[in-house]
Amino acid sequence: MLRNIAIEAISDRSTVWDCLVIGGGATGLGTAVESASRGLRTLLVERTDFAKGTSSRATKMAHGGVRYLAQGNISLVREALRERGLMLKNAPNLAHPLKLVIPAFHLWEIPYYTIGLGVYDLMSGKLSLGHSTPLSKTATVGHLPTVEQNGLKGGILYFDGQFDDARLATTLALTFSDLGGTIANYVDAVGLTKKNDKICGAILRDREAGSEHEISAKVVVNATGVFVDAVRKLDEPGSVKMLAVSQGAHLVLPKKFLPGTSALMVPKTSDGRVLFGIPWHDRVIVGTTDAEVPEPIDEPRIRENEIEFILTEAAQYLANDPTESDVLSVYAGLRPLVKPAQSGSTAAISRDHTIVISTSGLVTITGGKWTTYRHMGEDCVNRVTQIGGFQPTPSRTAQLPLHATSAAREISEPPEHMAVYGTDRKKIETLAASEPGLGDRIHERLPYIVAEVVWAAREEMARTVEDILSRRTRSILLDASAALEAAPRVAAILAKELHRDDAWQKKQLAEFAAVGRIYQLRPS
Ligand SMILES: Cc1cc2nc3c(=O)[nH]c(=O)nc-3n(C[C@H](O)[C@H](O)[C@H](O)COP(=O)(O)OP(=O)(O)OC[C@H]3O[C@@H](n4cnc5c(N)ncnc54)[C@H](O)[C@@H]3O)c2cc1C
């Protein structure tokens, strides 16, 4: 996947793309894979890096959403459970089943949640990951050795899926490229072009070269997450906002807070939400929160009240209370929620996806969840096919294994970071063995090796230190301070791969230092 080949294709004015997808998060990538797999000549442009927005900041659950079941949103849960099953089938190296345990501190909770989760199991049908069961106090502690035992009556075990969000985004970008799609990061859609009041293309700005290119496209899809309203304004300057933006934050803790492979699920926190404590890449992710924010930004920051809320709630359910000094990293993401006619709290807004088509033909797709990215892409390309007057073709992505997928991981197998590469892993290991130093770790507290940095630059379109340390590897989430310490080494490797000079390295380090501070709880 080479960026300069994509830029060359973008600058060829004679090309008429069937479909231009703006936005390289879960929604845009899912739409692009769907479009290319149906034979449409497709271009995807991403203003920053793939999944730099919301799609690298999820709780990393491939789930139907137990919470939505409680809200009675049966169709959303059924759709998401199907998609959960498909994600695990088509990307088994990136998504795997996860055991979750709800600790019960009142006896009535055990039958109550066992019945509810039984319905959840039934709804997943053939794609069920296992049966939920009530647990004795001893069995609950067996799954969650660090759970608060004072007043514990027992628990409920159920199954969902877990995945690596930014790595899935990279894999979708590679899958799209394998299907013949053209894709580039650091390309901003800055304008839309029209002929007879109908959209016929876009103005794209290559942010690395600073050059602008006018391209022709039969259909343009706006999949820009929390920024869809800004792109809609390029089409109709007077358009009314369709989104409410809500922030959710997480803390990352050392594995000792939740050793073992089972996750902790709290169905009702003090603000009525769900809280997860999830083992992930040898750490524990705890979250999340939900509060409306006025305007979307690229790099949202966790707020003081979110830190306090998560630590206080976690302390209620864990025997050893986590403190600020235990926190390895913090991150916040913004949910694109489609406003209902009467908007109340953002926690109550539906997580269904929405497709809106403007009078000039701009297709905007937003809402939904990471778990449902494939179905969103399928729905969107059905509309693209109608608008573009293309030959209708059946979707085949439900049966499409993603790039370099390898055999499914067993639920009991501990997470192992190289598994995310699927069959590409062997190539990275061969690269690591090809030269002294390539097998070395980038930092003693991080699992990643130098060969992964080289691979990301050569094969995965990584362009910046942040791309490597935030999304191709998940260093910044696993240990923000270690990621900052590893940055000079990564900058030097990347500069060599991309033929950049010392000034570029310096600028990269300054930019990464600014981002890195946002992921440290108390930056020094
Ligand atoms: C805290 C939190 C936890 C979550 N947890 C889960 C979970 O566990 N499971 C789950 O299924 N879902 C989860 N979600 C939901 C899920 O993450 C989102 O639904 C999904 O990532 C949205 O993807 P998107 O592609 O629509 O948006 P984004 O990922 O934000 O992608 C939009 C992209 O468009 C780009 N862009 C914007 N303007 C332009 C332009 N003019 N030109 C080019 N590119 C542009 C942006 O840079 C961005 O990369 C969670 C969400 C949040 C906030």
Side-chain angles (χ1 to χ4, degrees):
M1 203 168 62
L2 290 175
R3 189 175 178 278
N4 54 358
I5 293 178
I7 298 294
E8 236 171 70
I10 288 170
S11 54
D12 179 355
R13 289 213 50 178
S14 63
T15 306
V16 179
W17 303 92
D18 290 328
C19 180
L20 164 68
V21 179
I22 308 174
T27 309
L29 288 162
T31 301
V33 167
E34 183 72 35
S35 175
S37 69
R38 292 205 213 173
L40 300 182
R41 180 184 273 207
T42 310
L43 168 66
L44 181 145
V45 293
E46 162 54 50
R47 169 170 85 179
T48 55
D49 185 32
F50 312 120
K52 155 85 180 173
T54 308
S55 298
S56 57
R57 299 154 191 272
T59 312
K60 288 107 174 74
M61 294 283 297
H63 59 166
V66 174
R67 189 162 73 90
Y68 313 128
L69 187 62
Q71 288 170 355
N73 197 338
I74 305 291
S75 62
L76 173 66
V77 177
R78 187 174 290 128
E79 175 202 323
L81 283 172
R82 175 167 188 263
E83 293 303 318
R84 176 189 77 175
L86 294 178
M87 190 195 279
L88 267 69
K89 185 165 76 98
N90 293 328
N93 49 313
L94 290 156
H96 59 100
L98 178 70
K99 285 181 272 184
L100 292 107
V101 174
I102 302 177
F105 292 88
H106 301 281
L107 278 175
W108 64 264
E109 290 173 320
I110 301 178
Y112 177 80
Y113 289 118
T114 305
I115 292 168
L117 288 163
V119 175
Y120 191 67
D121 292 344
L122 277 177
M123 285 173 70
S124 51
K126 280 194 302 211
L127 294 170
S128 166
L129 302 177
H131 291 297
S132 27
T133 34
L135 299 175
S136 65
K137 178 174 174 177
T138 313
T140 304
V141 176
H143 280 283
L144 304 174
T146 51
V147 73
E148 177 61 69
Q149 292 188 37
N150 203 357
L152 184 71
K153 299 284 191 276
I156 307 96
L157 169 72
Y158 78 101
F159 295 81
D160 243 322
Q162 177 181 40
F163 71 111
D164 185 326
D165 49 7
R167 286 299 321 175
L168 180 55
T170 301
T171 302
L172 286 169
L174 291 162
T175 306
F176 174 59
S177 180
D178 294 347
L179 289 165
T182 302
I183 182 162
N185 48 4
Y186 299 98
V187 173
D188 198 352
V190 292
L192 297 170
T193 52
K194 292 184 185 173
K195 198 170 170 189
N196 300 328
D197 293 331
K198 293 284 173 203
I199 288 183
C200 62
I203 316 282
L204 305 180
R205 187 161 190 279
D206 173 357
R207 292 181 61 192
E208 285 191 1
S211 52
E212 281 196 0
H213 308 274
E214 186 173 333
I215 63 118
S216 303
K218 292 178 187 161
V219 183
V220 176
V221 175
N222 171 16
T224 54
V226 288
F227 300 99
V228 289
D229 285 322
V231 174
R232 288 172 64 238
K233 278 206 184 303
L234 298 176
D235 173 32
E236 291 171 354
S239 61
V240 176
K241 276 190 186 179
M242 62 186 278
L243 285 191
V245 178
S246 133
Q247 172 159 315
H250 297 87
L251 304 182
V252 183
L253 298 173
K255 182 86 173 99
K256 68 173 185 192
F257 283 96
L258 214 53
T261 53
S262 299
L264 165 76
M265 197 273 204
V266 176
K268 207 161 192 174
T269 56
S270 56
D271 74 346
R273 283 188 50 79
V274 168
L275 187 86
F276 291 103
I278 296 185
W280 189 74
H281 288 310
D282 217 25
R283 305 287 191 273
V284 181
I285 296 178
V286 190
T288 179
T289 53
D290 195 330
E292 190 161 0
V293 293
E295 287 301 327
I297 51 171
D298 276 335
E299 199 55 76
R301 282 168 196 261
I302 193 165
R303 298 173 185 158
E304 283 301 321
N305 62 346
E306 292 177 311
I307 298 166
E308 198 189 311
F309 172 81
I310 297 172
L311 284 176
T312 311
E313 290 291 333
Q316 277 191 45
Y317 296 92
L318 296 175
N320 294 326
D321 300 354
T323 62
E324 288 197 358
S325 62
D326 295 310
V327 175
L328 296 169
S329 179
V330 296
Y331 66 97
L334 302 178
R335 300 178 185 87
L337 303 177
V338 180
K339 277 188 194 174
Q342 303 260 305
S343 60
S345 104
T346 50
I349 299 181
S350 165
R351 266 54 170 172
D352 272 330
H353 69 268
T354 298
I355 299 176
V356 175
I357 298 166
S358 74
T359 41
S360 56
L362 178 68
V363 181
T364 295
I365 174 158
T366 193
K369 286 142 58 90
W370 233 125
T371 309
T372 55
Y373 81 91
R374 191 212 63 83
H375 186 230
M376 292 171 71
E378 180 180 338
D379 266 5
C380 187
V381 174
N382 288 344
R383 304 304 294 273
V384 166
T385 303
Q386 284 166 2
I387 293 169
F390 307 125
Q391 181 67 31
T393 42
S395 170
R396 59 187 186 95
T397 47
Q399 316 299 335
L400 183 79
L402 302 187
H403 173 86
T405 44
S406 60
R409 274 197 269 163
E410 291 300 319
I411 193 163
S412 54
E413 197 182 310
E416 200 278 299
H417 92 274
M418 291 284 276
V420 297
Y421 295 105
T423 55
D424 280 346
R425 175 194 184 142
K426 279 227 149 31
K427 297 179 190 165
I428 300 169
E429 285 170 349
T430 307
L431 178 66
S434 69
E435 225 181 87
L438 287 180
D440 295 353
R441 288 207 186 187
I442 59 169
H443 190 282
E444 61 187 5
R445 298 202 303 278
L446 296 168
Y448 307 106
I449 58 172
V450 172
E452 292 176 79
V453 178
V454 173
W455 178 263
R458 290 185 192 167
E459 306 290 338
E460 297 181 341
M461 224 185 256
R463 308 297 296 177
T464 69
V465 169
E466 194 206 326
D467 297 349
I468 301 269
L469 288 171
S470 297
R471 291 168 295 276
R472 302 306 181 281
T473 75
R474 310 310 309 271
S475 304
I476 205 160
L477 296 192
L478 302 193
D479 189 329
S481 304
L484 282 160
E485 286 160 21
R489 187 166 196 190
V490 169
I493 302 163
L494 200 55
K496 192 170 158 216
E497 287 299 316
L498 301 179
H499 312 291
R500 307 286 200 223
D501 60 13
D502 285 353
W504 181 87
Q505 281 191 57
K506 255 197 182 145
K507 191 163 175 272
Q508 281 292 308
L509 289 178
E511 285 173 6
F512 186 68
V515 168
R517 277 196 287 275
I518 297 173
Y519 290 76
Q520 287 181 302
L521 184 57
R522 302 283 173 228
S524 41

